[in-house]
Amino acid sequence: MVTVSIITPMRNASRFLTSTIDSVIQAAIEASEDIEWVVFDDASEDDSVNLFQNRKSELKQCQVNLILLQSTEPARGCGFGRNRCVEASKGDFLCFLDADDMMMPRRIKAQLELAQVHPTAIIGSNFSRDPPNSTVRFARWLNGLTEVQLKNQRFREVTIAMPTWFMHRSVFQQQNGFNEGPPGTPEDLIFFYGHTARGGDIVKCNEELMIYRYHEGGQHLSVPADVILEIRAKALEREVLSGWDTFMIWGANKEGKKLYKALSTEARRKVTHFLDVSVRKIGGTITTDNIPVIHFSQARPPVITAVKLDLTGGGFEKNLESMGWTEGIDYYHFG
């Protein structure tokens, strides 16, 4: 009986596959479970399919049954590919792996143990980047999140990187799978916010269990920033702002204005003030609705912050701490 199904959408990944397959073999040996690896080839034009076929028997010797699905239609994107993989799989637990990433030997064993304790959660993990100097702030933020921050900072972005996801099959089924929009659709973000809106748990293993590659062909780079902003803003409205009568936005800056513009008319009406530290902005108004700008020290919660963390030399973080507020009650980060 299959315990874990590894789920991998693939398109033109041949230059990465040798190390990816090697990493799965080592993790399977460590896990000592019955594992299947379901791969959906999304109309690759390189040697990806042959590379898998040539190592099928080697994988079988390590208790990994390879199921290779192929499509000759135009590329349909990662959401479509993952859904086809899950449909063809039998495992109680789903281990998501992008074809260009590598798992550490303990990944399957460690995340399976967590998922058995937290069957309603998306299980993630810390990760290292390849190359190491890529997206340093992003990796530092995700790897440094505490258990409480995994939930409270979810409107900044997905708080556990998609390439580290592991879950019980029922978690996937509750969401009816991934959005099957065309390449460039942030299917992970849509799935994540659907999960949290249902009250689903988010749990992270604090070990580095993945090597997350960054390269120009990465699927995430094709997602337009305005699409991501819109999805985040809608989630913020649905899960937080709908329960607030009024609120303030910290940041009379470009990010604050973008947030305000992304909100619905109903949510905009709840904004009473923008907060800032600039003497040039304080006392004035911004946006076409002429929302007044005041010094942050005059603020009263609740507040949504639209200032990017880790970019002001600690100044913003120090100012926020001085207010004595509680994250997740008095304020949420959006920037």
Side-chain angles (χ1 to χ4, degrees):
M1 184 175 179
V2 178
T3 304
V4 177
S5 297
I6 302 172
I7 305 299
T8 300
M10 173 179 73
R11 176 168 170 78
N12 297 334
S14 61
R15 61 189 172 122
F16 304 112
L17 287 181
T18 295
S19 56
T20 301
I21 295 171
D22 287 346
S23 76
V24 169
I25 288 173
Q26 292 302 312
I29 293 171
E30 178 83 16
S32 296
E33 300 282 350
D34 287 328
I35 297 169
E36 66 180 5
W37 191 357
V38 190
V39 178
F40 178 83
D41 181 66
D42 199 8
S44 288
E45 299 168 339
D46 63 3
D47 203 31
S48 295
V49 171
N50 288 336
L51 283 169
F52 265 108
Q53 289 175 336
N54 291 340
R55 300 191 68 177
K56 189 170 184 177
S57 60
E58 183 183 358
L59 287 162
K60 189 68 174 178
Q61 291 174 4
C62 302
Q63 292 185 285
V64 179
N65 180 39
L66 177 66
I67 301 172
L68 186 57
L69 311 174
Q70 292 180 255
S71 172
T72 56
E73 299 177 0
R76 296 289 298 274
C78 289
F80 181 87
R82 291 189 182 106
N83 287 346
R84 302 294 80 76
C85 287
V86 175
E87 289 172 356
S89 70
K90 300 182 179 67
D92 292 332
F93 296 89
L94 306 176
C95 174
F96 293 91
L97 175 67
D98 289 348
D100 54 355
D101 294 329
M102 294 173 283
M103 61 173 70
M104 303 302 287
R106 268 186 45 79
R107 185 199 177 182
I108 295 174
K109 181 178 178 65
Q111 289 192 299
L112 176 59
E113 290 173 355
L114 267 181
Q116 288 169 332
V117 176
H118 302 280
T120 63
I122 297 177
I123 309 295
S125 77
N126 285 347
F127 59 91
S128 59
R129 270 301 212 183
D130 180 26
N133 61 346
S134 56
T135 65
V136 173
R137 286 181 57 249
F138 174 71
R140 181 168 59 234
W141 170 61
L142 284 181
N143 286 337
L145 290 173
T146 66
E147 182 179 349
V148 173
Q149 289 171 332
L150 289 174
K151 181 178 181 180
N152 287 341
Q153 295 194 15
R154 67 191 182 276
F155 304 111
R156 292 189 66 204
E157 244 284 12
V158 172
T159 50
I160 45 176
M162 169 68 221
T164 74
W165 286 13
F166 192 108
M167 67 187 68
H168 191 273
R169 179 178 292 270
S170 62
V171 175
F172 180 88
Q173 292 171 334
Q174 285 179 350
Q175 287 301 113
N176 296 315
F178 288 98
N179 183 289
E180 295 188 3
T185 298
E187 74 286 337
D188 57 339
L189 198 65
I190 295 168
F191 187 103
F192 182 80
Y193 287 138
H195 175 75
T196 59
R198 291 172 179 267
D201 294 330
I202 312 165
V203 176
K204 186 181 73 167
C205 178
N206 287 318
E207 291 183 59
E208 287 188 1
L209 298 178
M210 288 293 300
I211 298 176
Y212 183 5
R213 281 196 175 108
Y214 180 88
H215 56 92
E216 291 184 359
Q219 188 70 31
H220 64 284
L221 296 178
S222 66
V223 183
D226 59 341
V227 172
I228 294 175
L229 175 65
E230 180 182 357
I231 292 171
R232 291 167 54 218
K234 285 183 178 179
L236 178 68
E237 283 197 43
R238 181 176 61 245
E239 298 185 41
V240 175
L241 301 184
S242 61
W244 289 355
D245 294 327
T246 62
F247 67 98
M248 301 181 183
I249 295 176
W250 191 323
N253 53 16
K254 182 172 67 174
E255 299 303 319
K257 293 174 185 177
K258 283 182 179 179
L259 168 58
Y260 184 82
K261 185 177 180 181
L263 296 175
S264 67
T265 301
E266 181 182 359
R268 289 181 192 176
R269 291 195 186 107
K270 297 182 179 183
V271 179
T272 62
H273 296 85
F274 279 83
L275 311 177
D276 214 277
V277 296
S278 171
V279 294
R280 182 175 57 84
K281 297 176 181 178
I282 292 167
T285 63
I286 62 172
T287 80
T288 55
D289 296 320
N290 295 318
I291 308 296
V293 181
I294 61 175
H295 192 269
F296 76 87
S297 62
Q298 298 177 275
R300 297 293 180 268
V303 170
I304 300 297
T305 76
V307 180
K308 292 184 177 180
L309 300 178
D310 199 23
L311 279 181
T312 61
F316 167 68
E317 290 83 354
K318 182 178 180 181
N319 289 339
L320 180 59
E321 184 179 2
S322 73
M323 301 302 291
W325 297 338
T326 300
E327 185 176 7
I329 298 176
D330 299 314
Y331 72 94
Y332 284 89
H333 286 298
F334 191 84

